[in-house]
């Protein structure tokens, strides 16, 4: 269904619709039972009072649908809270600090989070929350508990020492699927191991200690900073760091850099003029697609409600595919040429070339 309709419509039909029809169905059953009293089909002694007429009108049915869905949401949050308290009691644990909101379901906190993400520096909202509640806290948004940690030891456990215990899960995979697919950055378990085993031979010690690519692009970045300082211009260091990462990564992965640092640098505080040609279009689309994914993750499991008009990553992914497909096609052609020539070896100087050589 998600391929035919927008994420918002698909979410309403598959997830919200069952909750919306619950209350009207109960009203319909009660009304039928009440009418059945006249035909003596109910056991003696059971009396069902008539329902208010307005409850059976279209506006009444719509109202009860919405109230029923809200009640379902609040009941789920209450039940989850009771279960957690029982489990904490059994384990002699303490409650993670919960950021309180003023509206039901902490909707005001969610809206403030999404607004700040668009209008402020990325994740500054979380830094401000951490100042008040510490580096370990919970955002309870629309009945969903989202636990945040900025503790280095916790991050070390997730990424290294206890890596096998943790997984990305649907909370991350669902909002990022349209961009990351089911690759190594968006998979768990055996599928993740498959991707890892395919890529692992490429990252030999000799290759990971060869800093020539990174050195060249770092020199370029440093030269740009020097030029800005010499001209008395403000430097957006975050932008330059992002371009450095993009240029180094694309050359390492594909054998060609997008050369984003060759494009004019933005003036801090002013809107950027994104160009729509070649490498510039790819960089802009890639960053925009990641922004959408970050927005979705921040919005929680109800993120499709912000995408009723269509998948917000679709137009960006079209630009990305238009740039990457010719590069992949060329790598596949080079592999076939190497297979058809005696003594020729497949190009494994890039990660793309290595991955293509691993596929039959």
């Amino acid at each position: 269904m998600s391929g035919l309709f927008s994420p918002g419509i698909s979410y309403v039909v598959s997830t919200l619709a069952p909750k919306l029809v619950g209350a009207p169905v109960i009203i319909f059953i009660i009304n039928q039972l009440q009418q059945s009293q006249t035909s003596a089909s109910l056991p003696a002694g059971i009396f069902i009072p008539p329902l208010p007429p307005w409850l059976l009108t279209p506006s009444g049915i719509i109202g009860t649908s919405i109230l029923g869905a809200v009640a379902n949401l609040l009941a789920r949050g209450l039940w989850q809270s009771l279960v957690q308290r029982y489990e904490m009691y059994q384990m002699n644990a303490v409650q993670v600090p919960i950021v309180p909101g003023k509206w039901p379901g902490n909707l005001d906190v969610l809206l403030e989070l999404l607004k700040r993400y668009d209008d402020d520096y990325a994740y500054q909202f979380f830094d401000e929350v951490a100042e008040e509640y510490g580096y370990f806290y919970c955002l309870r948004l629309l009945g969903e508990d989202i636990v945040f940690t900025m503790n280095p030891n916790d991050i070390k456990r997730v990424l290294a020492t206890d890596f096998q215990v943790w997984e990305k899960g649907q909370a991350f995979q669902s909002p990022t699927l349209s961009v990351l697919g089911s690759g190594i950055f968006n998979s768990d378990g055996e599928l993740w191991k498959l991707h890892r085993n395919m890529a692992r031979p490429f990252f030999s010690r000799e290759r990971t200690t060869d800093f020539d690519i990174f050195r060249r692009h770092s020199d370029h970045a440093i030269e740009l900073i020097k030029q800005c300082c010499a001209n008395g211009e403000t430097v957006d260091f975050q932008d330059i760091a992002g371009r450095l990462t993009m240029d180094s990564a694309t050359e390492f992965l594909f054998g060609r850099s997008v050369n984003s640092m060759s494009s004019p640098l933005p003036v801090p505080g002013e809107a950027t003029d994104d160009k729509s040609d070649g490498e510039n279009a790819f960089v802009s689309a890639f960053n925009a697609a990641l922004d959408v994914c970050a927005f979705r993750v921040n919005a929680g499991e109800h993120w499709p409600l912000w995408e009723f008009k269509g998948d917000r990553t679709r137009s960006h992914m079209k630009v990305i595919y238009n740039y990457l497909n010719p590069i992949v096609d060329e790598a596949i052609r080079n592999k076939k040429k190497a297979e058809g020539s005696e003594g020729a070896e497949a190009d494994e100087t890039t990660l793309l070339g290595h991955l293509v050589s691993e596929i039959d």
Side-chain angles (χ1 to χ4, degrees):
M1 181 179 295
S2 59
L4 298 176
F5 303 102
S6 69
I9 295 176
S10 299
Y11 180 76
V12 168
V13 173
S14 63
T15 304
L16 291 186
K19 299 174 183 177
L20 289 171
V21 301
V25 167
I26 293 176
I27 291 175
F28 174 78
I29 294 175
I30 293 176
N31 186 57
Q32 291 296 109
L33 291 175
Q34 196 276 331
Q35 294 178 356
S36 299
Q37 291 180 139
T38 57
S39 60
S41 58
L42 290 177
I46 296 180
F47 173 75
I48 301 177
L51 296 174
W54 62 265
L55 202 57
L56 303 177
T57 62
S59 59
I61 294 175
I62 293 175
T64 55
S65 296
I66 297 175
L67 290 176
V70 173
N72 181 286
L73 180 66
L74 296 177
R76 189 184 70 166
L78 177 60
W79 173 253
Q80 180 176 311
S81 177
L82 293 175
V83 171
Q84 287 179 350
R85 288 179 180 275
Y86 176 71
E87 292 176 346
M88 285 190 294
Y89 172 78
Q90 285 188 317
M91 295 184 291
N92 196 26
V94 296
Q95 173 70 56
V96 176
I98 299 177
V99 179
K102 299 178 181 179
W103 296 0
N106 284 353
L107 181 60
D108 56 323
V109 177
L110 174 60
L111 295 178
E112 178 66 15
L113 164 61
L114 299 179
K115 178 179 180 295
R116 294 284 297 278
Y117 184 81
D118 285 337
D119 300 341
D120 219 331
Y121 285 107
Y123 296 104
Q124 183 168 333
F125 173 85
F126 302 110
D127 287 337
E128 295 177 2
V129 173
E131 290 180 2
E132 182 175 356
Y133 294 94
Y135 285 166
F136 192 60
Y137 58 88
C138 173
L139 294 181
R140 180 165 291 170
L141 305 176
L142 301 181
E144 177 188 13
D145 279 354
I146 306 176
V147 178
F148 290 84
T149 179
M150 298 181 184
N151 188 315
N153 291 328
D154 294 336
I155 297 173
K156 180 180 179 180
R157 292 189 189 97
V158 173
L159 298 180
T161 55
D162 290 336
F163 178 79
Q164 300 297 332
V165 178
W166 299 88
E167 64 177 18
K168 301 175 182 69
Q170 284 299 309
F172 181 84
Q173 292 168 343
S174 174
T176 59
L177 181 64
S178 60
V179 175
L180 299 180
S182 57
I184 192 170
F185 296 114
N186 205 27
S187 56
D188 293 312
E190 295 302 319
L191 182 58
W192 177 84
K193 291 180 181 179
L194 173 64
H195 291 306
R196 180 175 180 269
N197 291 335
M198 289 180 60
R200 188 173 186 176
F202 180 77
F203 294 93
S204 62
R205 180 176 178 81
E206 292 77 13
R207 183 171 280 111
T208 55
T209 55
D210 182 5
F211 294 107
D212 180 63
I213 293 177
F214 186 75
R215 178 185 56 77
R216 284 189 286 105
H217 292 293
S218 296
D219 290 343
H220 190 181
I222 294 173
E223 188 61 32
L224 288 176
I225 295 175
K226 289 181 178 178
Q227 291 177 8
C228 291
C229 294
N231 297 332
E233 300 172 352
T234 304
V235 179
D236 187 338
F237 186 78
Q238 181 173 324
D239 177 79
I240 290 182
R243 293 173 185 242
L244 169 61
T245 302
M246 179 68 72
D247 291 352
S248 302
T250 49
E251 183 171 351
F252 181 79
L253 296 174
F254 310 133
R256 64 177 73 176
S257 172
V258 295
N259 294 317
S260 62
M261 286 190 289
S262 298
S263 301
L265 298 179
V267 178
E270 296 184 7
T272 57
D273 182 19
D274 293 333
K275 297 183 179 180
S276 58
D277 59 309
E279 287 81 3
N280 290 317
F282 169 79
V283 174
S284 297
F286 183 79
N287 289 332
L290 292 184
D291 281 342
V292 173
C293 288
F295 180 93
R296 290 173 172 179
V297 172
N298 289 336
E301 63 176 322
H302 305 290
W303 67 263
L305 294 178
W306 277 263
E307 299 190 26
F308 269 98
K309 294 182 179 180
D311 188 333
R312 292 171 55 199
T313 65
R314 182 169 298 170
S315 60
H316 305 310
M317 293 308 299
K318 182 178 180 181
V319 175
I320 293 173
Y321 287 136
N322 287 339
Y323 180 81
L324 291 181
N325 285 343
I327 298 177
V328 176
D329 292 340
E330 181 181 359
I332 294 175
R333 287 195 299 269
N334 291 338
K335 177 197 174 185
K336 292 181 178 179
K337 289 181 181 178
E339 291 175 343
S341 303
E342 293 185 6
E345 295 182 359
D347 178 22
E348 293 199 24
T349 58
T350 65
L351 178 60
L352 175 60
H354 169 76
L355 293 178
V356 168
S357 67
E358 292 288 316
I359 300 174
D360 294 330

